[in-house]
Amino acid sequence: MTTGRDDDALSWDGDDDPTLDLGDSAGSDPAPEAPARSSVPELPRGYTAVGKSSEAVGAAGTPDAASVEEETPAGGDTVAEPRSLGNGALVALGVLGGVYALYAIGWIVGGLRLQGWRPFLVTDLMYQGSLWLAVLAPVLWFATVVLLTRTGRTWVRFAWLGAGAVLLVPWPFVLIGAVGQ
């Protein structure tokens, strides 16, 4: 049985180019040696090692740990990159963002329902300022938590978002409602 290039399933113009000839498959030419692999196992791009000895596992295309230590700034400070969230965390973040948006709407509706009681409670300027601070509070809380916990653990982010969901309930809307008494 011949194993030459004439037995290939497809042939194209230029197949007889000597630079393409890697030798016959019978093994007369030794195969080129694979490049030397480092002792550090590598993960595919986009994967992160977790658990015991995860520091020893490198990602594909990243330098070894020894060269990373050489590249750190003189002060020894390293800048942590934001961690990517999983699908469940992204969905939960979107749901909580929607809750905070509804809270802002609830503060608007509930605050406007209290305008009839305003002369008895506070002056007009104080009422308007506190109303718009209350409306912006859920939005500011959500944005602040998301920005400040980018490099932190996911459970810390959701703990702060959960605390804000409890603290920022629009009480005027809850107690009076959209229609009133």
Side-chain angles (χ1 to χ4, degrees):
M1 178 190 240
T2 61
T3 59
R5 293 183 58 96
D6 293 333
D7 293 335
D8 289 340
L10 298 172
S11 62
W12 302 91
D13 286 338
D15 279 349
D16 54 353
D17 186 5
T19 59
L20 296 176
D21 193 18
L22 298 175
D24 60 359
S25 60
S28 63
D29 291 338
E33 291 185 23
R37 307 254 322 153
S38 65
S39 62
V40 177
E42 289 184 358
L43 288 175
R45 186 174 298 274
Y47 287 88
T48 304
V50 295
K52 273 194 211 178
S53 304
S54 62
E55 304 86 30
V57 178
T62 59
D64 292 339
S67 62
V68 170
E69 292 174 358
E70 294 171 1
E71 295 175 5
T72 55
D77 296 333
T78 58
V79 177
E81 294 182 18
R83 295 182 179 179
S84 61
L85 295 175
N87 292 340
L90 285 174
V91 169
L93 197 62
V95 167
L96 282 171
V99 167
Y100 280 103
L102 288 175
Y103 277 9
I105 293 169
W107 276 108
I108 290 173
V109 171
L112 293 177
R113 294 288 302 155
L114 285 177
Q115 273 187 336
W117 297 11
R118 176 178 33 98
F120 302 114
L121 300 175
V122 293
T123 64
D124 188 36
L125 181 64
M126 289 174 49
Y127 180 77
Q128 290 298 320
S130 63
L131 172 66
W132 292 110
L133 283 175
V135 169
L136 289 176
V139 176
L140 292 175
W141 184 284
F142 183 78
T144 302
V145 168
V146 169
L147 288 176
L148 292 180
T149 60
R150 284 184 305 173
T151 58
R153 299 204 180 268
T154 305
W155 71 268
V156 173
R157 174 180 289 172
F158 285 108
W160 280 108
L161 288 174
V166 171
L167 293 173
L168 297 171
V169 172
W171 288 112
F173 181 79
V174 172
L175 296 177
I176 296 174
V179 178
Q181 296 178 351

